[in-house]
Amino acid sequence: MAEFNNQESDAQILWEDVVAILTEDGLAPSTLAMLQSCEAIGLTDDTLTISAKSGFVRRNVERNADLIRGAIERAAFQPMQLAVDLNRGSAAASSVSAPAAIAQPRPAQPIPAATAPASTPTVSMPAHMPQANPAPAAHAPVTNQTTISREDLERLLNPTAEAEREPEAEQDALARRRKNPLVQDIAPADSQLTFDTFVEGEENQLAFQAAKAVANGSNGYNPLFIYGGPGMGKTHLLKAIQNYLAVNDPDRICVYRNAREFVSDYTDAMVDTSRDVKRALEQNYHDIDVLIIDDIQGFRGAAKSINFFFDTFNYLTSNGKQIVLAADESPAELGLEERVTTRLDSGVTLSIQVPNYELKLGLIKAFYERMKADAIENGQHDYDGALDDASLEFMAQRAGASIRTIKSFCQLCLLEATSRQARGEEFTREDISQIATKKWGADTRTFTIEQIQKFVEQRYSVSHADLISNKRNKGLMEPRHVAVWLARELTDSTLAQIGERFGGRTHATVKHSIKWVEDRRHEDRVVHDKIARMKEDLMAGA
């Protein structure tokens, strides 16, 4: 027995070194928390065996197996394998026979948690019970306790039953999924909409972080309401939540619906005269852990469907279930009745704005790299062309406001570049401009300072003379600052050129106007949305 205890102690010491190495390497806090909850239960010359607390933890370990194995080898100074067992606690060692070594991690994209990692759990053992003595973690001192709960006692006395409980739980979750017709397979195209393929920028950062928190199980964003114009990436975030849960936490039943599909579910049930059909629909929607509804604006005019949504919303939130919603407009702008609006806006409401130049450039680079990689993987030669950094930057200047159309624009440019380069011709800025013109029109993406000034003057009802004057009354300061900021955002003009168009203002004065707008956008959500809407209207030709 002493020999086994020493072996287990060596295993635990090695495991703590592994976790310390992964912490220094910057592993995601959520993954570290799961690894810290595992216990090392065996060590041989070439294999470290750990015990996972649940099937969910085990799947996360498998997904990061290569990374963990590398850390084990660094800590042990020799090639090592990793094995995982589902038994819990130090007593689990007695039930370990020959856990299978992890060959390859599951294909998945782990995401960083938006919440603080959980502390390492400890198991309390009564003084009269025999126990192994693994070395304590440096950051979690062991406390001696003489009490134990009935649940812990049963688990320690009968570890085999506890180990068998996980497959049963997984079977229960699978049965729930099969029983609920609202749960559907994810389409291949939608499976590509993950957090890893989402391009983060200032305009979508808050919504992106909130969506990741929801996927990780945070209860601080319920309901989560994301709004913004068409093609801004709302559906990508919603699908990313669904995809993450399908791979990493399949026990949570997640259903994605757009408003049109939700209304159709309700009307189809109402057409049927059987009370059982109506009751089944209600039960199916109640048996959901994460309900995602896209394009909420589609509820307009569907009064009875809204009533059903209202009741479903109340049931799910009151039972701790998560709701995620998206629309083209904020809850207050949807024009729904007040009781529904207050529910929609009762959690966290975040907007996604029109991408600025930096985000557009990031999107174009990401799309370009993925198209090239996919073409190589699939053996396609339509995308053999190359776009240099200068071309990508000019494409960002001419790109539209919708992420969806930016991807299409990038694809057209790459196809044209491939065609021209195959003929020995150069792909030029003029070619990019022609593609942009065909896609968005000659003037849609080209702004002058004069056009921006005229737009701001109409929106704020001020004269051109006042806008560019040196008058400093309060009614002129905001429109002038906003006009300067828009000129910087939407034109290629330098600060000196912008200052010249605004009454000969200096470089420092122009920078002050830009900072004034940026500060208020970050400090005041109302101002942020107001200026963002102005930018959207201007870009849409309003």
Side-chain angles (χ1 to χ4, degrees), residues 387 394-395 398-400 405-420 427-442 445:
L387 299 172
F394 186 67
M395 287 164 60
R398 297 303 312 273
T405 57
I406 289 174
K407 181 178 181 180
S408 173
F409 175 54
C410 184
Q411 183 178 31
L412 290 172
C413 288
L414 181 54
L415 288 171
E416 182 64 20
T418 302
S419 176
R420 287 186 172 276
F427 183 66
T428 66
R429 290 165 64 101
E430 181 60 30
D431 296 323
I432 296 172
S433 293
Q434 289 180 1
I435 295 173
T437 298
K438 290 178 182 178
K439 193 164 187 62
W440 293 297
R445 298 304 315 136

Side-chain angles (χ1 to χ4, degrees), residues 145-193:
Q145 296 184 7
T146 57
T147 60
I148 187 169
S149 68
R150 179 179 296 275
E151 180 183 352
D152 286 340
L153 179 61
E154 291 176 355
R155 182 165 63 245
L156 291 168
L157 293 176
N158 191 8
T160 302
E162 182 64 25
E164 292 173 350
R165 199 170 302 163
E166 283 296 337
E168 292 177 2
E170 292 181 2
Q171 291 174 5
D172 290 343
L174 182 60
R176 285 180 62 205
R177 297 177 70 86
R178 289 175 175 172
K179 182 180 178 182
N180 195 331
L182 299 175
V183 181
Q184 299 176 348
D185 291 336
I186 298 174
D190 288 342
S191 67
Q192 304 301 313
L193 301 176

Side-chain angles (χ1 to χ4, degrees), residues 376-397:
I376 293 174
E377 182 178 347
N378 298 324
Q380 296 175 323
H381 298 288
D382 294 340
Y383 299 93
D384 285 346
L387 299 172
D388 58 24
D389 288 343
S391 295
L392 296 174
E393 290 166 3
F394 186 67
M395 287 164 60
Q397 294 175 17

Side-chain angles (χ1 to χ4, degrees), residues 45-61:
D45 290 341
D46 62 357
T47 303
L48 173 65
T49 302
I50 64 173
S51 172
K53 292 176 65 64
S54 68
F56 178 53
V57 173
R58 180 193 62 185
R59 288 189 292 271
N60 274 272
V61 171

Side-chain angles (χ1 to χ4, degrees), residues 197-222:
T197 59
F198 188 85
V199 180
E200 182 182 3
E202 181 182 345
E203 286 73 17
N204 59 34
Q205 188 176 58
L206 293 177
F208 181 50
Q209 295 297 332
K212 290 194 296 183
V214 166
N216 269 318
S218 171
N219 58 5
Y221 300 82
N222 199 21

Side-chain angles (χ1 to χ4, degrees), residues 104-117:
Q104 294 293 335
R106 298 187 182 191
Q109 295 84 20
I111 62 176
T115 55

Side-chain angles (χ1 to χ4, degrees), residues 125-141:
M125 302 274 293
H128 64 276
M129 292 191 66
Q131 55 180 305
N133 296 297
H139 62 281

